Amino acid sequence: MNGTKKNYSVAVVAGDGIGPEVIAEAKKVAEAAASSEGASFEWVEYPFGAAHYLKTNEILPESALVEMGETDVMLLGAIGDPAVKPGILERGILLTLRFFFDQYVNLRPAMSLPNVPTPVPLTERMDSVVVRENTEDLYMGLGGVTQDGSCDLDMTLERGGYSLRGRLQLAMTPGMPFAAQVALNTKYGASRIARYACETAKKRGESRVTIVTKANAAPALYGFFEQVAKETIEAEYPQIEWDLANVDALCYHLVRKPTAYGVLLCPNLFGDIVSDLQAALAGGLGTAAGGNIGDGLSMFEPVHGSAPDIAGTGRANPIAAILSGALMLRHLGLDASAAKVEGAVSKYLAQTTKSGLPHEFGGEASCTEVGDFVLRHLD
Ligand code: NAD
Ligand code: IPM
Ligand code: MN
C-alpha cells in the first residue's frame, strides 16, 4: 500500500459484545491521527454478528464479501455471543473472512505498556510478536460427529492457493459416538508464514525466529510444519537462525520470563493460545492488537473476543482496538499516523493517575474516556 492516496474506504464489522464499544474508540483515534497527514476514511459499516443473525438468520452473504473486497482495508471488533451456539458466528464470519481473503498471517505483537501492571514482574520491556499461520492446521473446518460409530466426511475445500478433494470414511468397532476433526499443514502454507516470520525478524533488527512446535506428540502435523519452516529459513534467509520450542515448554518459559522471546512462528492453533498468554503477560487482553494480513484485503482486529461478561458496562479496555487501528494505519502506508497513535497511547498511560487507567489495568476510566484520553495525547 502507498501513502499517497488520501481517502481510504474501510470495511467495518464491529460485531458483538464489546466489539462496537472498542471499535468506536479505534475509529475516533485513527481518524484524528490520519487527518494530520491529510488522510481520511470512508467507514463502510456492516451489521454482521449475533443480533443480525438472530433477527434475519443471515450470517455473512457472499455479496458482502465481494463488496468488502473493493475496500482498502478492514476493521473488526469481535464475533461471538452466548445466545448463539459456539462456532456458528466465529466460523461463519471471522474465519470465513480470514479464509476468503486468504489472510495467511495473523500478526499479534505483545508489548508491555507504561504504568500497566503485569502479573509477572518484568525486568525489561516486553516486546515480542506471534506470527501465527492463519489458514490451516486444526482450523480447516473439516470434520464431523457421529452417533453410531461410522462417518463419511466430505473433505472438499477451496483455499487461496489450492483445492482439496476427497472423503474420510471411518468405522469404529464397537460402534460408539465419536468426533473427528482433520488438521492439515501444507508446504505452501508453512513456507509462506515462515517467510513472513523472517521478514518480521529482519524489520525488528533480529536474527532469530523461534518455531513453536509439538512434533513430539503430533509428528505428522507439527513435525511437517517444523521441517518446512526450517528448510525455508535455511534456504531463503541465511542470516536468520531458527530455534525450536515445544508449545508446552514455551508456555512454561514465557510465564517465568516473559521477555525471553522475539518472533514466535506458530501453527494456527498454538498461535491462538500463545497470543492470549502473551497478552496476559503484557498486562491484559486489552493491550493486544492484531492484524490478519494477506496479499488482498487485510483485516485488523484486537486479539480479544466479545467479552460478554463486561459488554455494556463501559469497562471494556479499547487500547487493543486502538492499537489495531495503528497497525491498520501502518498497513495503509500512514506510518506517521500509526506512530502518533502508538505514542499517544504510551503518553496517556505514562502520565495518567491510577484512576485514569482502564478498569482492566486497575483504574476507573470507561471505554469512551480512555479513547478521549488517547485522543488528547495525539500531537
Ligand atoms: P474474550 O477474549 O472475549 O474474554 C476473555 C476475558 O478477557 C473476559 O474475562 C473478558 O472480560 C476479558 N477481556 C477481553 N477483552 C477485554 C477488553 N478489551 N477489556 C477488558 N477485558 C477484556 O474470550 P472468551 O470469553 O473466550 O470469548 C467470548 C466470545 O468471543 C466467544 O463467543 C468467543 O468465541 C469470541 N471470540 C471472538 C474473537 C474474535 O472475534 N476475534 C476472539 C476471541 C473470542
Ligand atoms: C481469535 C479467536 C478465534 C480464533 C476464534 C473466535 C475462532 O480466538 O481470533 O484469537 O481461534 O482464531
Ligand atoms: Mn483467540
Side-chain angles (χ1 to χ4, degrees):
M1 292 273 167
N2 65 63
T4 54
K5 184 174 167 184
K6 290 299 180 192
N7 189 272
Y8 299 89
S9 59
V10 186
V12 182
V13 176
D16 300 320
I18 64 169
E21 302 168 33
V22 298
I23 286 300
E25 304 313 308
K27 283 166 56 183
K28 153 171 129 184
V29 171
E31 206 151 43
S35 73
S36 63
E37 271 193 87
S40 58
F41 301 111
E42 182 203 343
W43 306 106
V44 188
E45 306 274 351
Y46 291 92
F48 306 117
H52 182 78
Y53 171 67
L54 292 171
K55 199 165 79 190
T56 64
N57 219 29
E58 180 176 68
I59 299 178
L60 173 61
E62 173 97 19
S63 57
L65 286 166
V66 172
E67 205 182 287
M68 288 166 176
E70 298 298 312
T71 64
D72 293 310
V73 74
M74 190 162 176
L75 197 57
L76 183 135
I79 297 295
D81 187 286
V84 182
K85 192 176 162 218
I88 294 181
L89 301 174
E90 291 89 338
R91 287 206 71 85
I93 301 176
L94 180 66
L95 298 185
T96 297
L97 286 164
R98 290 178 184 165
F99 301 159
F100 184 84
F101 294 112
D102 199 23
Q103 296 161 346
Y104 66 94
V105 183
N106 192 191
L107 189 68
R108 295 183 152 180
M111 281 186 297
S112 50
L113 295 164
N115 254 330
V116 174
T118 58
V120 179
L122 299 178
T123 48
E124 56 191 311
R125 246 188 100 236
M126 190 174 164
D127 176 8
S128 168
V129 61
V130 168
V131 176
R132 170 189 180 192
E133 200 291 319
N134 211 23
T135 60
E136 301 194 326
D137 203 22
L138 256 185
Y139 280 69
M140 302 297 279
L142 302 170
V145 181
T146 170
Q147 295 306 321
D148 66 5
S150 68
C151 63
D152 180 356
L153 301 170
D154 182 13
M155 297 278 128
T156 304
L157 190 88
E158 296 296 334
R159 280 295 154 79
Y162 52 87
S163 320
L164 184 70
R165 295 279 173 274
R167 313 196 68 79
L168 180 66
Q169 294 173 320
L170 300 170
M172 179 86 75
T173 309
M176 66 177 86
F178 71 88
Q181 187 93 45
V182 173
L184 237 79
N185 283 319
T186 66
K187 182 169 183 185
Y188 174 80
S191 60
R192 65 179 178 171
I193 198 66
R195 272 180 214 112
Y196 196 94
C198 291
E199 292 297 333
T200 304
K202 274 169 64 183
K203 267 193 209 147
R204 291 165 54 90
E206 293 170 4
S207 57
R208 182 176 63 139
V209 164
T210 302
I211 305 169
V212 180
T213 186
K214 190 66 191 163
N216 53 0
L221 187 66
Y222 297 121
F224 179 82
F225 182 92
E226 179 189 310
Q227 192 57 32
V228 173
K230 285 180 196 167
E231 284 169 8
T232 306
I233 296 170
E234 283 169 9
E236 299 178 33
Y237 292 88
Q239 72 279 39
I240 302 278
E241 288 169 32
W242 55 261
D243 61 4
L244 293 177
N246 283 317
V247 66
D248 49 352
L250 173 77
C251 293
Y252 171 80
H253 290 306
L254 268 175
V255 171
R256 290 173 65 92
K257 192 163 192 279
T259 55
Y261 296 92
V263 177
L264 291 167
L265 167 57
C266 296
N268 208 338
L269 182 65
F270 302 155
D272 176 45
I273 297 165
V274 170
S275 55
D276 266 38
L277 174 58
Q278 294 258 65
L281 293 167
L285 274 164
T287 64
N292 300 277
I293 298 163
D295 299 330
L297 184 72
S298 293
M299 173 171 86
F300 293 82
E301 52 154 353
V303 169
H304 63 73
S306 56
D309 52 343
I310 56 164
T313 65
R315 297 171 74 93
N317 180 358
I319 290 178
I322 292 170
L323 292 175
S324 303
L327 295 179
M328 176 188 86
L329 293 169
R330 193 164 287 117
H331 179 77
L332 291 171
L334 300 169
D335 293 33
S337 306
K340 210 172 246 203
V341 172
E342 288 159 353
V345 168
S346 288
K347 265 186 249 161
Y348 144 59
L349 291 170
Q351 290 169 13
T352 183
T353 57
K354 187 167 187 291
S355 66
L357 287 169
H359 288 266
E360 190 188 32
F361 301 159
E364 290 161 23
S366 71
C367 186
T368 324
E369 284 167 340
V370 172
D372 290 341
F373 288 144
V374 175
L375 213 52
R376 258 182 252 156
H377 286 81
L378 290 168
D379 8 80

